[in-house]
Amino acid sequence: EFYRKVSKVISFAAQLIKGFRSRIVLRLLLSPESFDQLVGLNADYVISCGAASAGMNLLGSGFFGGKTLIILKPGILSFKSFDFVVAPEHDVKKAADNCVVTRAALNLIDKNYLSEKTAQLLNRFSHLKSNYRTKIGVLIGGNTKNVEFTESVAKILVHQIKEVALQLNADILLTTSRRTPDHIEQLIWKEFKKFERCALLISASKTDIPEAVGGILGISDCVVVSGESISMVSEAVSSGKKTVVFNLVSSEEKTDFNKYERFMEKLSEQGYIALCSVKGISQAVYCVMSDKMHLKHLSDKDVVRHAIKKVL
């Protein structure tokens, strides 16, 4: 932890003092094993993801001599310190010339990925193969910075999902995430385990099913996602399925927008998602399923691919 903090300070200084981008500095900051593996490589491009590794990318550029590419915001470091940056819109106040701004977080979702994960999920849960009802996928996240998934929210969520499933004669395919609090997962499990419209119920903390999210996205006609998970929302909207996103923060509790809310508001304004409060889930799902609200398909891959070609 000490060296982690020191590396942040040194990498910040290295933006102005290029002498810090050296083997000597890396030898001081890294374990001997990591250092030996790193300096033994020969790279024309160094790619890192997130703030935690951005500093090492910058410091390592001194002896690699290759171009530095980063994904997501590099913490306290400037975008201009790198050759190429891919960052989501909610993390970019002003885009630099070397920055490609995406509307959602980068993800693996495309037709081939959905087909593959759908086949895997159907092979694991064969009872879904003969089920031809309309399907509502539900992706549940959990607590994150400044956002709490409370029991009262979970109870409203359960009621709303059950209500619209019965209204539309639809089946529910639901998975929690590893961030879902235990007491919330227990409540959801208790409410849906014997509910006649719940065709699939997955506990991410108890069962490792890698194809769960991709398979549910592939099978579902509509997807309901908790808005505190930027990655799950991005995957859902990239799948081309009608996506309803609910905000965990009620209007009574709302003060300033956090980055999750800014992200959701932007996608909603651009017509990619139906954004609602947890109390409005049933109505939002009904609207998109009855085509009273038309949503667009989002894909950032062509934008990123075109930008990378310029770098290469």
Side-chain angles (χ1 to χ4, degrees):
E1 186 61 27
F2 170 75
Y3 285 106
R4 184 189 299 275
K5 292 177 180 177
V6 171
S7 69
K8 288 183 179 179
V9 176
I10 293 178
S11 60
F12 182 78
Q15 296 177 112
L16 300 173
I17 307 171
K18 291 189 176 182
F20 283 134
R21 306 181 194 180
S22 67
R23 293 192 180 208
I24 296 174
V25 172
L26 284 176
R27 188 185 291 275
L28 291 173
L29 294 176
L30 298 174
S31 67
E33 294 80 12
S34 293
F35 177 79
D36 290 341
Q37 290 185 43
L38 188 63
V39 298
L41 299 175
N42 181 22
D44 297 307
Y45 305 94
V46 183
I47 305 173
S48 63
C49 183
S53 57
M56 285 296 122
N57 190 339
L58 180 64
L59 295 175
S61 66
F63 69 87
F64 274 131
K67 291 186 176 182
T68 54
L69 289 75
I70 63 167
I71 302 168
L72 301 180
K73 189 178 179 180
I76 61 174
L77 302 180
S78 169
F79 286 176
K80 294 180 181 180
S81 298
F82 302 89
D83 293 303
F84 180 69
V85 181
V86 180
E89 196 169 19
H90 61 270
D91 273 344
V92 180
K93 292 183 180 179
K94 185 178 180 181
D97 293 338
N98 65 329
C99 181
V100 175
V101 180
T102 60
R103 289 160 294 186
L106 293 183
N107 58 78
L108 298 172
I109 304 298
D110 58 21
K111 288 184 178 180
N112 291 335
Y113 182 88
L114 291 176
S115 296
E116 177 187 341
K117 298 305 175 185
T118 296
Q120 292 174 358
L121 193 70
L122 291 176
N123 286 335
R124 189 186 293 264
F125 301 101
S126 56
H127 69 281
L128 296 175
K129 293 180 180 179
S130 57
N131 188 328
Y132 300 106
R133 285 198 190 101
T134 298
K135 295 178 179 59
I136 301 171
V138 184
L139 309 181
I140 303 298
N143 298 339
T144 188
K145 187 178 181 181
N146 299 325
V147 179
E148 182 182 2
F149 205 127
T150 64
E151 189 170 317
S152 60
V153 167
K155 288 180 179 178
I156 298 171
L157 167 68
V158 168
H159 173 74
Q160 290 285 309
I161 296 296
K162 285 184 175 181
E163 180 180 72
V164 75
L166 292 172
Q167 187 179 19
L168 297 174
N169 191 29
D171 279 343
I172 300 165
L173 311 175
L174 186 151
T175 181
T176 58
S177 76
R178 286 185 171 84
R179 291 186 298 102
T180 308
D182 289 341
H183 67 287
I184 299 298
E185 190 163 276
Q186 290 171 12
L187 186 155
I188 290 172
W189 196 266
K190 178 182 177 182
E191 291 290 339
F192 282 110
K193 188 175 182 180
K194 294 184 179 180
F195 183 56
E196 66 271 21
R197 283 289 180 267
C198 188
L200 181 65
L201 184 59
I202 297 174
S203 168
S205 64
K206 297 177 181 177
T207 311
D208 183 22
I209 302 179
E211 67 272 18
V213 172
I216 288 174
L217 291 177
I219 297 172
S220 300
D221 301 287
C222 174
V223 187
V224 178
V225 192
S226 56
E228 91 300 333
S229 177
I230 289 175
S231 60
M232 285 200 306
V233 172
S234 297
E235 289 172 337
V237 76
S238 298
S239 71
K241 300 304 174 70
K242 299 173 180 179
T243 302
V244 173
V245 181
F246 64 92
N247 194 349
L248 290 179
V249 182
S250 69
S251 57
E252 293 82 5
E253 298 170 330
K254 187 178 294 185
T255 52
D256 295 331
F257 272 6
N258 57 40
K259 72 173 184 178
Y260 310 102
E261 292 173 301
R262 289 197 303 271
F263 171 68
M264 291 185 291
E265 287 287 343
K266 199 72 174 179
L267 288 183
S268 177
E269 289 171 3
Q270 295 171 345
Y272 294 110
I273 65 171
L275 180 60
C276 63
S277 68
V278 68
K279 293 180 181 179
I281 291 174
S282 177
Q283 182 179 359
V285 172
Y286 181 80
C287 283
V288 299
M289 290 302 293
S290 58
D291 290 328
K292 292 181 179 180
M293 180 185 296
H294 297 280
L295 300 176
K296 298 187 294 185
H297 176 213
L298 185 152
S299 176
D300 289 312
K301 290 190 175 182
D302 288 339
V303 176
V304 177
R305 187 181 294 113
H306 179 70
I308 288 177
K309 284 181 178 179
K310 288 185 178 180
V311 177
L312 299 180

